[in-house]
């Protein structure tokens, strides 16, 4: 490998700018998709966990049945098809009804390499895709909460909605935090498939640099290292969050990684 022809290129500074734009786009896609996907996943999880009661009216039973059916179909479709295919369906599907993401929110400046219509399309795709997985993750977390706590809350006169929001959901999210964090790491890497619809994320920008310099191996090695760096940072941050939630003192100093639990 000859990194010299890449680093000594007269356009190397502009290549760094391209790399920076791709890095920003990838981080936006991964973080936004994970956070908003988690919020939607909570609704999907509750929708799947709905139960028909004998005391429910016919209208309520009908609405619950429709809701459960929608949540299950949504999860099956988005988890059972590749995100790349979903992105292409969104791109050409919206184009068929006259909506071209390339003409939406386009800024004619350097920042336009990040903030453009294709990024909006990418955010939509990665969020809806992540929501399907988050729904299953949160559902498992909800089902894993000890029912004794639910009965205890009811004995104290707490309403079902209050019990769910203050007792069940926080524990479910805490128990599912490692898996939720794994989804963030998956989104960092899987955001690369969105280049097929024109999202200027990390892979697309590196691909452009490789095409300009013909330093294909060198560019893809750099790409792999950047992705590795991002996933390591995400893993480290998630470990700090877990330790904080467990009541431990944390420090970002790498030489003081061992921490004692707070009393």
């Amino acid at each position: 490998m000859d990194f010299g022809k890449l680093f000594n290129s007269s356009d190397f500074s502009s290549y760094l700018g391209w790399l920076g734009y791709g890095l920003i786009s990838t981080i936006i896609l991964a973080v936004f998709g994970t956070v908003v996907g988690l919020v939607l996943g909570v609704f999907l999880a509750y929708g799947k966990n709905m139960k028909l009661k004998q005391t429910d009216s016919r209208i309520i039973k009908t609405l619950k049945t429709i809701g459960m059916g929608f949540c299950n179909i949504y999860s099956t479709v988005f988890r059972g098809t590749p995100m790349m295919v979903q992105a292409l369906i969104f791109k050409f599907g919206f184009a068929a009804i006259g909506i071209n993401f390339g003409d939406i929110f386009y800024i004619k400046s350097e920042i336009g390499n990040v903030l453009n219509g294709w990024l909006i399309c990418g955010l939509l795709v990665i969020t809806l895709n992540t929501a399907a997985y988050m729904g299953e993750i949160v559902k498992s977390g909800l089902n894993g909460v000890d029912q004794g706590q639910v009965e205890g809350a009811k004995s104290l006169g707490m309403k079902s909605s209050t019990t769910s929001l203050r007792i069940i959901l926080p524990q479910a999210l805490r128990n599912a935090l490692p898996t939720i964090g794994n989804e963030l790491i998956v989104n960092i890497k899987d955001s690369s498939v969105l280049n097929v619809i024109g999202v200027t994320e990390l892979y697309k920008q590196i691909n452009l640099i490789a095409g300009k310099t013909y330093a294909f191996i060198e560019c893809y090695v750099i790409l792999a290292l950047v992705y590795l760096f991002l996933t390591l940072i995400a893993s480290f941050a998630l470990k700090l969050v877990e330790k904080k939630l467990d009541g431990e003192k944390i420090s970002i100093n790498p030489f003081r990684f061992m921490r004692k639990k707070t009393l």
Side-chain angles (χ1 to χ4, degrees):
M1 290 186 291
D2 183 11
F3 287 95
K5 62 181 178 181
L6 177 62
F7 296 145
N8 296 329
S9 171
S10 59
D11 294 325
F12 180 67
S13 59
S14 65
Y15 296 154
L16 285 178
W18 293 3
L19 182 63
Y21 296 136
L23 185 62
I24 294 172
S25 295
T26 294
I27 293 174
I28 292 174
L29 288 165
V31 174
F32 184 92
T34 302
V35 173
V36 181
L38 175 59
V39 175
L40 296 177
V42 170
F43 287 100
L44 284 174
Y46 275 105
K48 287 187 170 187
N49 272 353
M50 284 192 297
K51 294 179 175 60
L52 299 177
K53 300 178 181 179
Q54 293 182 351
T55 56
D56 290 337
S57 65
R58 181 175 299 179
I59 295 178
I60 296 298
K61 287 182 179 180
T62 302
L63 292 176
K64 283 186 176 181
T65 301
I66 294 173
M68 287 187 290
F70 170 80
C71 292
N72 283 296
I73 293 173
Y74 178 96
S75 179
T76 300
V77 170
F78 276 90
R79 292 172 65 225
T81 56
M83 186 162 66
M84 180 184 292
V85 176
Q86 295 166 14
L88 291 171
I89 290 174
F90 270 80
K91 175 181 179 179
F92 293 108
F94 276 98
I97 60 175
I99 299 176
N100 183 7
F101 283 99
D103 299 330
I104 300 175
F105 195 57
Y106 181 75
I107 302 176
K108 294 183 178 180
S109 65
E110 288 296 315
I111 197 63
N113 289 294
V114 177
L115 300 177
N116 53 55
W118 294 120
L119 178 68
I120 296 175
C121 184
L123 289 173
L124 184 61
V125 173
I126 198 171
T127 299
L128 295 177
N129 180 273
T130 302
Y133 291 93
M134 288 297 189
E136 294 298 319
I137 293 170
V138 176
K139 179 184 175 184
S140 298
L142 293 173
N143 294 337
V145 176
D146 184 8
Q147 290 300 309
Q149 298 188 43
V150 178
E151 297 298 328
K154 289 181 179 179
S155 67
L156 293 175
M158 295 181 68
K159 297 181 180 179
S160 298
S161 57
T162 305
T163 301
S164 180
L165 291 176
R166 295 188 178 183
I167 305 296
I168 301 176
L169 184 58
Q171 293 186 69
L173 293 178
R174 173 61 188 90
N175 294 337
L177 185 60
T179 314
I180 293 172
N182 186 61
E183 276 299 308
L184 171 61
I185 294 173
V186 168
N187 280 341
I188 291 174
K189 297 179 292 182
D190 284 0
S191 62
S192 60
V193 305
L194 296 174
N195 76 91
V196 298
I197 61 171
V199 179
T200 53
E201 44 68 55
L202 196 55
Y203 170 79
K204 184 175 180 65
Q205 297 290 49
I206 285 288
N207 221 24
L208 291 174
I209 296 173
K212 290 282 187 180
T213 62
Y214 297 101
F216 291 98
I217 296 178
E218 293 82 357
C219 285
Y220 293 133
V221 168
I222 292 173
L223 177 63
L225 292 175
V226 173
Y227 276 124
L228 179 61
F229 176 75
L230 289 176
T231 56
L232 288 175
I233 291 295
S235 298
F236 180 70
L238 290 166
K239 286 182 179 179
L240 293 182
V241 172
E242 287 186 43
K243 290 180 179 294
K244 181 65 176 179
L245 293 176
D246 288 340
E248 297 185 31
K249 291 181 178 180
I250 62 174
S251 171
I252 60 174
N253 186 343
F255 299 102
R256 297 181 59 188
F257 195 75
M258 299 299 294
R259 306 174 183 85
K260 295 181 180 180
K261 288 188 176 182
T262 57
L263 298 176

